[in-house]
Amino acid sequence: MSEVLIEAKGVWFKYNKKQDWVLKDVNFTVKKGEFVGIIGESGAGKTTLAKHFNGLLKPWRGEVRVLGMDTRRVPTSRLARHVGYVFQNPDSQIYSATIRDELSVGLKKLGFKAGEIEERIKWALEVVDLKKPLDISPHVLSFGERHRLAIATVLALNPDVFVLDEPFAGIDYKRSLNLLEIFRELTKKGHSVVLIAHDLQLIAELADRVVFMSQGRIVREGTPEEVIGDVAFLESNGYIPLQVSVIASKLGLGRIVRVSDMAEELYRRLTL
């Protein structure tokens, strides 16, 4: 059985006493080496749940544990060593005067030496395909470039779990897929990835497990085929299903979410 890195048990949360519950009795786990996609309508509680994974938010009821540590009793700075978080808006996490400073500040706090810091910075920028002078201000970058810088900053820290909250705004589909494939490779080395995204195709291509949230609850989870491939379920929840899933359903091929799988199934049936 794979090691559980993040575990949420019976989590209830709201932002103030007068507000309705944003999370309602949520149970959620992330195992070592797992790639989890979280989907759901705006306001479903996806980001609120994700912010519990590194202690940015604390549950009102229930508990969240990261590598066995109770997030209510451990400083966020300590949790950040294990859970790297990429925000929806990169400007929420970019605050340094230069690109080099932005990438190195966290590494310095963790005690890395200058040589290793430079190596990690170089590698992370290559991964996100950001070729800019390191001494310029990150605030002169385009929105998409700032998002890639935010991703690079988290990559350089090399945490156990990467939490990506709609990380590809302003980034084209091909580059987004390339980045996700890098994260997929990291799962093979024991890291875990939690991706919140509206793009069903990106999640279908790479996730091991898909979690569907609605009105503060997890209402369904399973493989991409079980959740994203269920055309009727998605339509009943306001989603436009993937075209490949719709075609597969009409042809009686079952639940399919990847074009490559569709081609393989058609070939198999034609060569029987």
Side-chain angles (χ1 to χ4, degrees):
M1 182 179 292
S2 298
E3 177 186 359
V4 174
L5 300 184
I6 296 176
E7 184 173 22
K9 290 183 177 180
V11 171
W12 291 75
F13 178 84
K14 54 185 173 180
Y15 286 94
N16 58 65
K17 292 181 179 180
K18 296 181 180 180
Q19 188 184 42
D20 291 334
W21 293 105
V22 181
L23 297 179
K24 307 167 186 175
D25 196 24
V26 172
N27 295 287
F28 181 90
T29 59
V30 178
K31 296 180 180 179
K32 185 175 182 178
E34 188 177 31
F35 195 123
V36 184
I38 303 180
I39 61 176
E41 75 274 9
S42 296
K46 304 184 298 295
T47 293
T48 300
L49 176 61
K51 286 183 176 179
H52 279 74
F53 299 158
N54 65 348
L56 289 175
L57 297 176
K58 315 289 186 182
W60 283 51
R61 302 177 190 168
E63 66 176 13
V64 178
R65 291 186 176 273
V66 175
L67 278 72
M69 297 179 288
D70 190 330
T71 60
R72 295 168 297 184
R73 296 176 172 82
V74 178
T76 302
S77 58
R78 183 177 173 189
L79 296 172
R81 295 169 180 255
H82 303 286
V83 181
Y85 193 105
V86 178
F87 288 77
Q88 286 186 25
N89 184 347
D91 297 331
S92 297
Q93 67 187 97
I94 293 175
Y95 58 87
S96 298
T98 68
I99 291 176
R100 176 180 278 107
D101 289 343
E102 187 63 37
L103 287 159
S104 63
V105 63
L107 296 170
K108 289 178 180 177
K109 288 180 179 179
L110 293 178
F112 289 100
K113 295 180 180 180
E116 187 169 0
I117 288 175
E118 289 302 314
E119 288 179 6
R120 287 189 175 222
I121 288 175
K122 180 180 178 182
W123 172 77
L125 290 176
E126 287 177 352
V127 168
V128 301
D129 190 25
L130 186 61
K131 301 173 183 177
K132 296 289 182 179
L134 295 182
D135 294 324
I136 66 171
S137 169
H139 300 290
V140 304
L141 301 176
S142 69
F143 185 80
E145 289 171 337
R146 294 199 302 278
H147 234 149
R148 281 148 60 198
L149 174 60
I151 294 170
T153 301
V154 173
L155 277 170
L157 293 171
N158 197 35
D160 298 289
V161 183
F162 295 92
V163 179
L164 313 175
D165 190 356
E166 293 288 354
F168 301 122
I171 303 177
D172 63 83
Y173 183 84
K174 182 179 180 181
R175 186 172 273 139
S176 297
L177 186 57
N178 288 340
L179 284 170
L180 282 180
E181 286 175 345
I182 295 295
F183 283 109
R184 181 75 216 180
E185 287 300 310
L186 287 171
T187 65
K188 296 177 182 179
K189 299 178 181 179
H191 297 272
S192 300
V193 177
V194 178
L195 171 64
I196 299 172
H198 288 289
D199 191 322
L200 297 182
Q201 191 65 65
L202 282 175
I203 291 179
E205 290 290 339
L206 296 164
D208 301 306
R209 178 163 56 97
V210 177
V211 172
F212 191 99
M213 294 190 68
S214 179
Q215 299 180 6
R217 298 182 184 274
I218 293 176
V219 298
R220 189 164 182 178
E221 61 181 303
T223 65
E225 289 76 15
E226 290 170 338
V227 180
I228 297 177
D230 189 336
V231 173
F233 172 76
L234 289 183
E235 289 179 338
S236 67
N237 283 276
Y239 267 84
I240 299 174
L242 298 177
Q243 189 173 30
V244 66
S245 299
V246 174
I247 295 172
S249 178
K250 290 182 177 180
L251 292 177
L253 301 178
R255 295 177 181 175
I256 294 177
V257 295
R258 305 176 190 89
V259 173
S260 59
D261 290 344
M262 166 78 88
E264 288 180 8
E265 180 60 19
L266 288 172
Y267 178 79
R268 186 186 70 81
R269 296 194 178 205
L270 290 170
T271 55
L272 286 176

